[in-house]
Amino acid sequence: MRRNPLLMALKGIAILVVLAWSLIPIAMIMVSSFKTDRDIFAVPPRLAFQPTWTNYVALWERWGDFFHGLLNSLIVTAGATIVAVLASAVAGYAYSRFRHKVLAGSAFFLIFIRLIPPIVITLPLFPAVNWLGLNDTHFILIILYATFFVSLGTLVMRTFIDQIPKEVDEAAHLDGASRLQVLYKLILPLSAQGMVAVAVFVIVYAWNEFLFAFIFTTTRAKTAPLVLSEMIGAVEGVEWGVLFAASTVQLLPVLIFVVLAQKHLVAGLTAGSTKG
Amino acid sequence: MEQRSPLLPALGFIAPVQLFVGVIIFIPALYVFWLSLTESSFGQAPVFVGLANYARVLADPYFWKALVNTVIVVLIVVHVELLLGLGMALLFASGVPFRPLLLAAVLAPYAVSEVSAVVMWRFLFDPEVGFATQALTALGLPPLEWAVVPWQGLLLVSLLSIWLHLPFTFVILYAARLAIPGELYEAAQMDGASGFARFRRVTLPLLVPAMLIAMLFRYIFAFRLFSEVWLLTGGGPARQTEVLAVYLYLEAFRYNAFGDAAATGWLLVVASLVLALWYLRRLYKEMFATYAP
């Protein structure tokens, strides 16, 4: 390969632009969350400043709701992840190992359903959920979040289970293992990578989801993004410092998670979107 | 055991996911169609009114405003994402230093919630102290008056949306680019093809399927855009930045016009399916080729 210095310089610039675009908005709120109001509103922006915990203290003292929201987010995310991963793994196994016309139709149905906009189904679900007394519960959010990810989850799991040779389960069957035993003793452990990939998607989605939380929760099951949105809309004007602190707390765990799990995220996206 | 698969155990395995999507998405979606033909509100018995709701929605200038806004935002967001995603995929494929680190940086916005993203972009374009506003002023450009001027509000919505979803488009294209065998480039180079010719003759044609898939998914997902607009402008000023999902939400949950909202919802469903028709046809064939030998 020839190395054209001009080309190399352009490439360096391109890399810097991509980095700035991706990271500056995130870095900005994280850094600003440690600034006093005076530093936040300084024109031109101050890079050197005395870091302070004031905003985090104010968040803790005045927005107890937010920490309650974080706990709710944690519960809902954990619940949705477990439900979605298990249901997807079991279905992925069937789609990988069985062949039948009915399965063809149901696989089509599963992906076709994914195209329906979530907001549309809130119209009939809202009265139904109220009637069942399920609104403002963790349960309803867990079910909704899991439902919107089982289609992609099943696809991803099928792709991963397809990579396990069929001889593995056939040998187990000859040894007298039942299908369920094959599934949970062999297939699930061997497709752990796929389960992690599915979990990554559900976790990121459920932790950040806004629309369903906005419509189906009011107080008890309110998630962190919803409390954040209330902080944006607070009547007495936006308290930027506190808002930055809250955003940082909400975003940091899942950001670290995505960085650590990036390999699985990429694998899952490729398995889920290009193969059907 | 692939030949003569017994159906019953398979049905047992797929039952949970089918039940989820059937009960939570499919039946409600069908029910929305029925709702769209009735006049109803919370706690009121629905009365069949035929297509009256559709007529009213289609005669509502705010619906048309929302439709036009949605189409504009979708077109901007999806195509800019596709171009930027393609550029980034090629940049990464050409070899970058500290690749895992750079990849993590580029994927970072994927972890950010719409709400936090709105906090970020609102502050960046704050008319008084926003960094972006100051940068524009320093360049002698007018600031973005996104809270006052509707098209500038939509521009900020688009920017935010592109920022949030670029990682998705990028990953799809990057993975597709990595899947192109290196021998094709070696062969092209032996034939004396220049860098640009290799891009046009090898890379681009082989990336088209992935580009179509990424574009299609982004069309469908951008089309249901809600949170960014809701949290940034609330549809204002004077309902000028509403998109279809915001229009639907307001009709149903603020103005109690359930029938109108249902009609809008059903139009959204149909539009999404029409957009995906090509994909659905392909999917249908593929599913039957895979599962019904």
Side-chain angles (χ1 to χ4, degrees), chain A residues 11 21 28 45 90 95 99-100 106 108-109 115 119 123-124 158 166 201 208 214 232 250 254 262 270 273 276, chain B residues 2 5 13 18 94-95 100 104 110-111 113 116 122 131 134 163 172 175 224 230 245 252 258 279 283 290-291:
Chain A
K11 193 166 154 177
W21 161 263
M28 180 195 70
V90 172
Y95 287 116
R99 295 289 176 267
H100 196 283
S106 70
F108 177 75
F109 175 73
L115 305 175
I119 195 167
L123 295 175
R158 185 201 73 190
K166 291 207 175 68
F201 285 106
N208 288 331
F214 178 53
I232 298 179
Q250 195 269 339
V254 69
Q262 58 155 292
T270 10
S273 59
Chain B
E2 209 181 300
S5 289
F13 289 127
Q18 296 292 340
S94 75
Y110 187 83
S113 66
S116 290
R122 255 181 88 141
F131 300 163
Q134 290 179 42
W163 185 79
I172 305 269
R224 52 179 76 161
W230 182 253
F258 232 57
Y279 170 71
L283 182 73
T290 317
Y291 290 108

Side-chain angles (χ1 to χ4, degrees), chain A residues 1 11 14-15 18-19 21-26 28-29 32 35 40-45 83 87-88 90-91 93-127 143-144 146-148 150-151 154-155 158 166 169-170 173 179-180 183 201 204 208 210-211 214-215 225 228-229 232 238 240 243-244 247 250-251 254-255 258-259 262 265-266 269-270 273-276, chain B residues 1-2 5-7 9-14 16-18 20-26 28-29 31-32 35 42 84 88 91-92 94-97 100-116 118-124 126 128-129 131 134 159 162-163 166-168 171-172 175 189 213 217 220-221 224 226-227 230-231 245 248-249 252-253 258 261-262 265-266 268-269 272-273 276 279-280 282-284 286-288 290-293:
Chain A
M1 273 292 199
K11 193 166 154 177
I15 291 175
V18 165
L19 275 179
W21 161 263
S22 307
L23 294 182
I24 283 182
I26 300 176
M28 180 195 70
I29 61 156
S32 303
K35 284 183 176 178
I40 289 173
F41 297 122
V43 177
V83 172
S88 304
V90 172
Y93 169 65
Y95 287 116
S96 172
R97 295 305 199 244
F98 295 86
R99 295 289 176 267
H100 196 283
K101 260 208 181 90
V102 173
L103 289 182
S106 70
F108 177 75
F109 175 73
L110 208 56
I111 306 169
F112 153 83
I113 281 298
R114 185 153 73 119
L115 305 175
I116 292 175
I119 195 167
V120 172
I121 62 143
T122 63
L123 295 175
L125 281 185
F126 187 77
I143 294 299
L144 284 167
T147 300
F148 273 86
V150 288
S151 299
T154 303
L155 269 182
R158 185 201 73 190
K166 291 207 175 68
D169 7 343
E170 274 156 20
H173 278 302
R179 279 205 178 78
L180 270 176
L183 178 64
F201 285 106
V204 174
N208 288 331
F210 175 73
L211 176 68
F214 178 53
I215 291 182
L228 257 177
S229 78
I232 298 179
V238 184
W240 285 110
L243 193 56
F244 290 148
S247 290
Q250 195 269 339
L251 127 83
V254 69
L255 184 69
V258 162
V259 167
Q262 58 155 292
L265 184 80
V266 173
L269 265 180
T270 10
S273 59
T274 51
K275 296 191 179 136
Chain B
M1 56 172 192
E2 209 181 300
S5 289
L7 181 60
L11 287 185
F13 289 127
I14 64 167
V17 296
Q18 296 292 340
F20 276 127
V21 298
V23 174
I24 306 286
I25 310 181
F26 186 63
Y31 192 66
V32 167
L35 279 178
F42 295 115
L84 292 178
M88 275 159 60
L91 177 70
F92 272 75
S94 75
V96 290
L101 224 61
L102 272 179
L103 212 51
V106 169
L107 290 180
Y110 187 83
V112 176
S113 66
E114 284 140 344
V115 186
S116 290
V118 166
V119 174
M120 293 169 193
W121 287 84
R122 255 181 88 141
F123 187 67
L124 274 171
D126 184 275
E128 310 278 318
V129 293
F131 300 163
Q134 290 179 42
L159 261 175
I162 292 167
W163 185 79
L166 191 57
F168 173 85
V171 167
I172 305 269
Q189 195 150 30
I213 287 286
F217 273 108
I220 290 166
F221 285 96
R224 52 179 76 161
F226 175 82
S227 321
W230 182 253
L231 294 165
L248 184 157
Y249 173 81
F253 297 99
F258 232 57
W266 188 250
L268 275 181
V269 173
S272 298
L273 296 182
Y279 170 71
L280 286 173
R282 216 193 72 169
L283 182 73
Y284 186 81
E286 197 184 305
M287 286 306 157
F288 276 87
T290 317
Y291 290 108

